Amino acid sequence: MFSFFKKKPSASDAPPALPDPAVDSAAAPLEAERRSWLARLRGAPSEAATSIAAPPASQPVVAASDAPMDTEDRRSWIDKLRGGLRKTGSSIAEVFTGTLIDGALYEELESALLMADAGVKATAYLLADLKWRVAEERARTPQAVKALLANAITDLLRPLERGLRVGEHVPTVIMVVGVNGAGKTTSIGKLTRHLADANQKVLLAAADTFRAAAREQLAVWAGRSRVEIVGQEGGDPAAVTFDAVLAGKARGCDVVIADTAGRLTTQVHLMDELKKIRRVIAKAQDGAPHEVLLVVDGNTGQNALAQVQTFDAALQLTGLIITKLDGTAKGGVLAAIALWARERADTGAPIVPVYFIGVGEKLEDLQTFDAREYAQALLS
Ligand SMILES: Nc1nc2c(ncn2[C@@H]2O[C@H](COP(=O)(O)OP(=O)(O)OP(=O)(O)O)[C@@H](O)[C@H]2O)c(=O)[nH]1
Ligand SMILES: [Mg+2]
């Protein structure tokens, strides 16, 4: 279901500390090397990316909603995203109000990106890439540099674009994890509704058995979408999930989604519990879970990257949902996540895409991720 995204440029290490080609003529001998670095940075999809992006022709992959780029909903969603990222947008815009492209401009941009939660590594990467683009394009005005920055951010984020697919496995089993209050249950509710609207038979596993309210909250979403729910108050989350996957198979469901309880990454026994849930899903169905999605609150700042890394180390994530980008989120952390995802892909592991972005509590507030749109929202 949901729109399919494309390529993953072959990744590269974070850039070395490059001299500024715009102001440093001694950089010339390194030019060929840099060009090849940039070519790889922006270049053709690797084999791994192709296999990720292209669904096997024989598989009945379902697309519930191709990114509805021109719809009213999408436009108002982008406005919300822009509104949420406004602070970052205006502090980056400040950088480009002068008339000179000089060291001060790059220094201010560095501060603005760091303030936006992009982190040291992604900030250095973007600055190096931007300086290259400025030199290549012979940009003459700060506004032209800003446009090139939008391109640099888009290219950095592009590998994260990919649509969630269902239909390659029956049922497709999706496990959803994250820290407390990140927006797991709400996102599952919205996702379920989209799937149900696309005639997908969904079964929800209420594997958050800690709180009675958690099951009820999921049951409300299940009721709205008229889908089945399996749960047992106070039960073992792994056992509930196991039962749900078996029930999903027996009942011919297309998708089973397991909602897990929020937890801190430092709570070792609770992280172990997630690993157990993952293991029992695999026992109930070979090759499952097909997706392990981490829901990240976009307001978490740089800690979001630490969350991604820790949950990935424990569970081998397959995708991300970033929520609450309508609030006080600064938005730059996606750049840090993108760089991490590239480095992870460098080891031969699949890219971990951002399937959805949430900008509110309503159904239409969860939308597919588009790198260009996001970069523009970040700079508007
Ligand atoms: N503003 C805003 N609020 C959101 C968004 N997504 C979820 N929320 C709200 O965040 C709160 C927590 O959402 P839940 O879906 O319950 O979060 P959870 O991760 O399931 O929480 P636990 O199960 O307690 O760990 C709720 O009030 C949601 O309505 C979003 O994109 N924007
Ligand atoms: Mg929940």
Side-chain angles (χ1 to χ4, degrees), residues 203-216:
L203 185 144
L204 297 179
D208 180 350
T209 56
F210 284 133
R211 298 181 298 119
R215 188 182 173 283
E216 280 158 29

Side-chain angles (χ1 to χ4, degrees), residues 11 57 69 75 87 141 143 158 187 231 238 241 245 297 314 332 361 366 368 370:
M69 300 295 292
R75 277 197 294 276
K87 247 183 149 176
T141 64
Q143 279 310 310
R158 183 106 51 208
S187 299
T241 312
V245 176
D297 178 338
E361 304 182 27
L366 191 75
T368 47
D370 179 280

Side-chain angles (χ1 to χ4, degrees), residues 184-185 208 211 214 217 259-260:
K184 296 177 290 298
T185 308
D208 180 350
R211 298 181 298 119
Q217 187 191 359
D259 183 24
T260 63

Side-chain angles (χ1 to χ4, degrees), residues 139-178:
R140 292 282 171 259
T141 64
Q143 279 310 310
V145 179
K146 189 180 176 193
L148 293 174
L149 176 63
N151 294 347
I153 295 175
T154 302
D155 284 357
L156 176 60
L157 299 182
R158 183 106 51 208
L160 302 182
E161 275 185 8
R162 191 190 155 204
L164 178 67
R165 293 202 301 262
V166 300
E168 286 174 52
H169 311 276
V170 184
T172 296
V173 182
I174 302 173
M175 176 177 173
V176 179
V177 301

Side-chain angles (χ1 to χ4, degrees), residues 294-356:
L294 176 67
V295 179
V296 180
D297 178 338
N299 293 286
T300 320
Q302 271 292 290
N303 188 251
L305 181 62
Q307 281 177 25
V308 171
Q309 289 170 321
T310 312
F311 275 100
D312 181 54
L315 299 165
Q316 297 83 53
L317 298 176
T318 63
L320 304 173
I321 299 176
I322 315 290
T323 61
K324 308 191 192 184
L325 285 171
D326 51 319
T328 55
K330 296 175 184 164
V333 74
L334 249 74
I337 290 174
L339 204 54
W340 167 83
R342 274 168 191 259
E343 288 174 357
R344 184 184 186 276
D346 275 350
T347 67
I351 200 86
V352 178
V354 172
Y355 286 128
F356 304 104

Side-chain angles (χ1 to χ4, degrees), residues 64 190-200 202 224-225 227 363:
K190 296 170 185 170
L191 198 56
T192 300
R193 179 61 180 276
H194 283 292
L195 286 162
D197 286 350
N199 297 320
Q200 295 295 288
V202 181
R224 281 184 198 158
S225 303
V227 305
L363 177 68

